[in-house]
Amino acid sequence: MSALPSSSPSAADRESRAWKRRLLRAMVGKALAYFAERETMQIKMVRDHLLDIADGKLSLSQAQNVRSAAVMLDRRAEAFKRGYQEAMQATLDEEITAALPEAETPGYRRIASVDELDGMSLSLIDVSEVDRILLLDRVSQRFNTHYDASLLPLTQRIGALLGQEAQSVASNPFRPQVFVRAFMTAWEKGGFDDQATEDLINSLEPEHGIDLAPLYADLLATLAHAGVAAQAGHRIKKSVGGSSFAPLGEGESPMSQRAALEPAPAEQPRSAWGALAPAGRSIASHARQFLQRLGLGSQQGELTSSRMGLSDTSEHPVFEAADPQLMGYLGDLQAGAVASPDYQYVEGQNPADHNVLRQMRDREEIRRAPELDRGTVDALAEVFDFVFADQAIPMQMKVVIGRLQIPVLKAAMIDRDFFLSADHPARKLVDTLASASIAWVPEKGENDPLYVRIESTVKRVLTEFEDDLALFSELLLEFSEFLFETEQQAQQQIEPAAVQERDKESLDAALAHADEVVHARISALPATLPLAPFLTPFLTTQWREVIAHAWLDAETSPGHWEAALATMDLLIWSTQPKTHSDERKKLVGVLPDLVRSLNAGLDSINWTGDERATFTRRLIATHMLAIRMNQPTPEDSKAAALEASASQEAIEALDQRRAGKLAGQADEYDAMAQSMTRGTWFDFAREDGGTHRCRLSWVSPMRTRLLFTNRDGFDAFVRSEREVAALLREGRLAMIDQVPIVSRAIDKLMAGGPESEMAVIV
């Protein structure tokens, strides 16, 4: 650990970069020591918390992930500790280098925070990296809030040490995000369970980990002891739900600055939005232009905000309130929709006929509304057109969800973030209902609990929503609880099949291991003492299975494993020629134990019948000849040829199993099968010509088995990754898009050109 710099440095020393670096290095040493002393306790606290929340209200996939993470942290704790220490050292080194870079040190890549992404083009950052940054920021905010009282004074002193005018937690090398990032890096680089990474990191809570307050107090005391004075600074704190832009017409925004460079319109528009679409343009073009003016765009490959859900970190204008007269008109429409029978689906009817937003845009109440409100109507009409066109949503469900158009339009006008943020309450409810609806099949009927729950949720919105968006959040919570309870019931149905398939996978792994052991034993035999041909099929088939079961029981009954290997070695030796009398005496002495061990092993795998009797007779004959003869006996040429052929076939089968390679070159379908995650929905074309909607409900730990079921956990069938790839290749298995439907609609709208309009020309 670095020695602390002098406790009474001169003013010149305090301005020295070397002195500052030594001080920071000493603080790094304290941080590393603090975590090293508590690493066992930290892992235990995290593991216990994972087991607690696994029994809570999590989805099936999340529960499986956190259980997997808990098991990994238990079984491979030492490996994780080593990785965590290395990641902590590397992460803190990066932070110190960033705070006080060496003049000769070239630039390096450091993971940014969400705050540091402000003003950066998302097109320059890999999508997975953005997801990682957002995950780290989301989790770190909990720790920042929890340790605010001790983190703020430390941040201020470090800012004074580094000469920063504006002091931000993002510039504190010892902020919680650094430790969370090290934890995540250790997990990722250790290869523990990539599928569980997001749910593991999301589970980290300051209340269920080691207390950082004593560390921050110690680091603060170190700075004070070194003579670094506390200095009030301007703390940068991200606003929640607000905007740094002035309302339109008050100051300049980037949008208004760009507008200043463009030719002035011939006629001053009624608002800052201007005329959104010249006559003759399609509604889709009108809506796209409106969304672009909201700040949403995908030019030059930049990801849309709807896909990324960055409304809490990206700035946008503060919009004017919705027109009161229009809101009153919409309220009347909503009241009339409650009792309207028009929402009922009629066989053969086009669901798009229920797009009332498209129909109402020609009404006088809409025409005289402000451009911002008219743009909202058009954009939302495009969104619901996309809902009505989605092939995965059953027709009846489209009509039910379509009844939300008017209340959702009101919600989008009350909070204009609807198109900018995936966390908008009304948008989240639409996304969740649409996602859940794909699990319903018409054969279930309208009395099915899922159909009833979706319909009742929609009715409550129609009857209860006025202007309080909290209703959408309340209904979303209730609906999510319903889905969770349904998921738990399905899990009870899935669990027996999952246990059975997990056992089969473990046995397959054990058999593969047994193949390697048998192959090694056979390959190690000298050329002068080859394996008796009649033993090859036995060792590569029956005794392979005995070895596999012994390997599975190695933890609970370690003696079985050693006994199975010893029996195999003794069996091989016993069938080799015995030309010396002492070898024959030894054989006579070991035969009783050998026979007992062989019979016990074969009984354990239930090998009975004529095949076992034939093998036993052949083995006895070999032993008798070995005992009585002092030199190898001449072989029966016909029997020897048959045994040699069977031996060669057994070796070829063993080599083929050991190779275990896919036939041909892996293609994109193999990649799709390898990347599938639990909870994904599919349409499966049966051999009888029908279609079955199913979801991937369980994936075995080694991904050799994928279990598909219906919503309730029934109609289960299992396929390997290779078989799934073949089904995808043949078109018999079609994956249903899992991206939230509003995001997909907005992305399609923003990416579309004149040739791909979703609407007809006005």
Side-chain angles (χ1 to χ4, degrees):
M1 186 182 300
S2 303
L4 282 173
S6 171
S7 60
S8 57
S10 65
D13 285 339
R14 283 196 293 267
E15 292 301 319
S16 165
R17 294 173 61 83
W19 181 84
K20 294 177 181 179
R21 188 171 293 107
R22 287 198 303 273
L23 180 57
L24 289 174
R25 287 293 177 192
M27 296 168 67
V28 167
K30 285 179 174 289
L32 292 174
Y34 188 85
F35 277 90
E37 292 170 0
R38 296 161 176 80
E39 59 185 5
T40 300
M41 179 175 64
Q42 181 180 17
I43 291 177
K44 182 180 185 304
M45 293 177 73
V46 172
R47 187 180 67 240
D48 291 347
H49 181 53
L50 290 172
L51 295 175
D52 286 342
I53 64 176
D55 297 326
K57 293 186 176 181
L58 295 178
S59 67
L60 173 62
S61 63
Q62 289 173 323
Q64 289 176 329
N65 282 339
V66 296
R67 286 194 184 95
S68 172
V71 170
M72 288 291 183
L73 288 175
D74 184 35
R75 292 182 178 176
R76 300 180 59 188
E78 293 304 317
F80 182 79
K81 289 177 187 177
R82 291 192 298 271
Y84 192 27
Q85 290 168 0
E86 293 172 1
M88 187 80 71
Q89 178 76 66
T91 306
L92 287 170
D93 285 346
E94 286 184 0
E95 292 296 327
I96 299 306
T97 303
L100 282 173
E102 297 280 2
E104 66 275 11
T105 301
Y108 68 94
R109 179 176 176 271
R110 180 171 71 91
I111 296 179
S113 68
V114 169
D115 292 329
E116 295 169 309
L117 291 179
D118 287 347
M120 295 175 63
S121 171
L122 290 177
S123 63
L124 302 178
I125 307 176
D126 182 75
V127 176
S128 61
E129 185 73 359
V130 173
D131 289 339
R132 194 167 187 265
I133 292 169
L134 294 175
L135 173 61
L136 286 170
D137 182 74
R138 183 168 63 250
V139 175
S140 301
Q141 290 302 324
R142 306 170 193 161
F143 289 82
N144 290 350
T145 302
H146 186 81
Y147 292 109
D148 186 74
S150 53
L151 190 59
L152 175 57
L154 178 63
T155 299
Q156 291 175 344
R157 290 222 188 214
I158 289 178
L161 173 69
L162 300 177
Q164 297 170 344
E165 293 184 4
Q167 294 147 14
S168 166
V169 172
S171 62
N172 184 339
F174 305 96
R175 63 193 182 278
Q177 193 252 25
V178 173
F179 306 128
V180 175
R181 173 152 47 102
F183 192 97
M184 185 175 184
T185 301
W187 180 266
E188 292 172 332
K189 290 189 175 181
F192 294 97
D193 184 352
D194 292 340
Q195 266 192 303
T197 302
E198 182 175 354
D199 291 318
L200 168 62
I201 301 304
N202 261 326
S203 72
L204 299 182
E205 300 280 355
E207 298 85 358
H208 300 283
I210 60 173
D211 188 7
L212 297 181
L215 171 62
Y216 289 142
D218 189 16
L219 297 179
L220 186 64
T222 300
L223 290 170
H225 186 67
V228 179
Q231 178 178 327
H234 302 288
R235 189 181 183 204
I236 300 173
K237 194 170 184 179
K238 182 174 61 179
S239 62
V240 179
S243 170
S244 61
F245 281 82
L248 293 179
E250 299 179 15
E252 291 185 328
S253 69
M255 206 178 307
S256 63
Q257 292 170 7
R258 288 196 301 270
L261 300 177
E262 299 173 353
E267 181 180 345
Q268 184 68 23
R270 291 201 305 169
S271 75
W273 289 95
L276 288 176
R281 283 199 180 182
S282 72
I283 298 176
S285 294
H286 188 184
R288 188 180 307 113
Q289 186 180 5
F290 161 75
L291 294 178
Q292 288 170 345
R293 295 195 176 193
L294 283 182
L296 202 64
S298 56
Q299 297 178 358
Q300 299 179 352
E302 185 175 331
L303 295 171
T304 65
S305 297
S306 66
R307 179 76 73 173
M308 298 306 302
L310 295 176
S311 70
D312 59 334
T313 59
S314 55
E315 297 176 337
H316 53 274
V318 175
F319 307 109
E320 62 263 28
D323 178 57
Q325 292 185 352
L326 178 59
M327 292 297 285
Y329 169 66
L330 295 178
D332 293 340
L333 289 179
Q334 179 179 328
V338 174
S340 173
D342 295 339
Y343 77 93
Q344 296 292 342
Y345 173 69
V346 179
E347 186 70 28
Q349 185 183 29
N350 184 356
D353 294 342
H354 291 268
N355 193 328
V356 297
L357 299 179
R358 187 170 301 287
Q359 298 167 10
M360 65 185 280
R361 71 185 306 271
D362 292 326
R363 294 292 301 266
E364 183 60 30
E365 291 85 352
I366 304 300
R367 288 185 175 276
R368 65 169 178 252
E371 286 82 356
L372 178 58
D373 293 339
R374 299 209 311 269
T376 303
V377 173
D378 285 342
L380 196 59
E382 292 293 319
V383 168
F384 273 95
D385 261 355
F386 192 87
V387 172
F388 290 135
D390 193 308
Q391 297 298 314
I393 302 177
M395 293 295 186
Q396 295 92 322
M397 284 293 188
K398 292 177 182 178
V399 176
V400 173
I401 296 173
R403 301 190 75 201
L404 290 173
Q405 291 173 84
I406 298 301
V408 169
L409 175 59
K410 289 170 57 181
M413 290 180 174
I414 292 171
D415 182 354
R416 306 286 186 178
D417 269 354
F418 181 90
F419 299 103
L420 301 176
S421 171
D423 290 329
H424 188 287
R427 175 168 166 175
K428 288 182 72 173
L429 185 63
V430 172
D431 282 336
T432 303
L433 294 179
S435 176
S437 69
I438 66 176
W440 180 81
V441 291
E443 292 77 12
K444 289 280 189 178
E446 296 183 3
N447 291 325
D448 178 73
L450 177 60
Y451 185 98
V452 171
R453 194 56 180 253
I454 291 177
E455 186 177 44
S456 64
T457 300
V458 171
K459 286 182 178 179
R460 282 194 59 189
V461 173
L462 286 169
T463 56
E464 298 178 25
F465 176 63
E466 294 182 3
D467 55 12
D468 186 1
L469 297 184
L471 175 65
F472 290 97
S473 299
E474 177 187 337
L475 293 175
L476 177 62
L477 177 61
E478 293 177 2
F479 189 75
S480 298
E481 290 176 348
F482 164 78
L483 292 179
F484 173 77
E485 293 170 359
T486 303
E487 186 69 23
Q488 292 297 98
Q489 294 171 4
Q491 174 62 23
Q492 293 176 4
Q493 300 298 328
I494 295 168
E495 191 62 28
V499 170
Q500 183 180 15
E501 294 301 326
R502 190 183 296 113
D503 291 343
K504 289 180 180 178
E505 181 180 66
S506 297
L507 178 59
D508 285 348
L511 290 169
H513 182 63
D515 280 336
E516 297 301 323
V517 172
V518 172
H519 179 268
R521 288 295 196 278
I522 295 175
S523 301
L525 292 173
T528 56
L529 292 173
L531 184 68
F534 82 96
L535 273 188
T536 309
F538 173 78
L539 294 180
T540 59
T541 306
Q542 284 78 31
W543 205 250
R544 164 190 182 241
E545 190 174 345
V546 172
I547 292 174
H549 283 285
W551 190 63
L552 287 175
D553 298 335
E555 290 187 4
T556 56
S557 304
H560 291 177
W561 170 249
E562 285 79 4
L565 297 184
T567 300
M568 177 172 61
D569 291 338
L570 188 59
L571 175 63
I572 294 172
W573 175 83
S574 73
T575 59
Q576 293 171 339
K578 303 292 181 286
T579 57
H580 299 287
S581 60
D582 55 346
E583 290 181 327
R584 292 194 291 273
K585 289 179 181 178
K586 179 181 177 181
L587 176 60
V588 171
V590 302
L591 277 180
D593 288 339
L594 175 61
V595 171
R596 280 194 294 271
S597 297
L598 283 173
N599 286 332
L602 297 177
D603 289 343
S604 70
I605 63 171
N606 297 317
W607 191 43
T608 58
D610 293 340
E611 287 187 2
R612 179 170 173 177
T614 300
F615 170 79
T616 301
R617 286 193 297 270
R618 180 69 176 85
L619 182 60
I620 292 173
T622 302
H623 287 157
M624 294 303 294
L625 287 172
I627 293 171
R628 294 173 180 173
M629 305 296 293
N630 57 10
Q631 61 181 359
T633 59
E635 297 178 345
D636 182 332
S637 59
K638 183 176 181 180
L642 290 175
E643 288 182 355
S645 175
S647 175
Q648 183 60 33
E649 290 177 359
I651 290 294
E652 291 175 356
L654 173 62
D655 290 340
Q656 186 175 7
R657 291 197 301 267
R658 290 181 64 242
K661 296 179 180 178
L662 285 173
Q665 187 73 22
D667 56 18
E668 67 272 19
Y669 298 105
D670 294 299
M672 287 176 62
Q674 292 165 9
S675 63
M676 286 179 180
T677 57
R678 297 186 295 269
T680 305
W681 282 89
F682 300 86
D683 280 328
F684 176 58
R686 298 191 300 265
E687 293 182 356
D688 61 7
T691 300
H692 170 60
R693 180 153 293 179
C694 58
R695 70 172 176 180
L696 180 56
S697 297
W698 178 80
V699 179
S700 65
M702 289 179 278
R703 296 189 64 84
T704 63
R705 286 167 163 75
L706 284 72
L707 175 67
F708 297 84
T709 70
N710 64 9
R711 182 184 95 225
D712 301 318
F714 294 106
D715 299 336
F717 64 94
V718 177
R719 297 290 186 274
S720 67
E721 279 189 350
R722 188 176 181 180
E723 291 170 331
V724 169
L727 291 172
L728 291 169
R729 197 176 293 113
E730 297 166 5
R732 292 187 57 201
L733 192 66
M735 186 185 300
I736 296 175
D737 201 331
Q738 307 295 299
V739 176
I741 195 163
V742 177
S743 291
R744 281 189 281 138
I746 294 174
D747 286 349
K748 180 177 177 63
L749 176 60
M750 298 304 293
E755 70 283 354
S756 60
E757 299 291 352
M758 290 192 292
V760 296
I761 301 296
V762 177

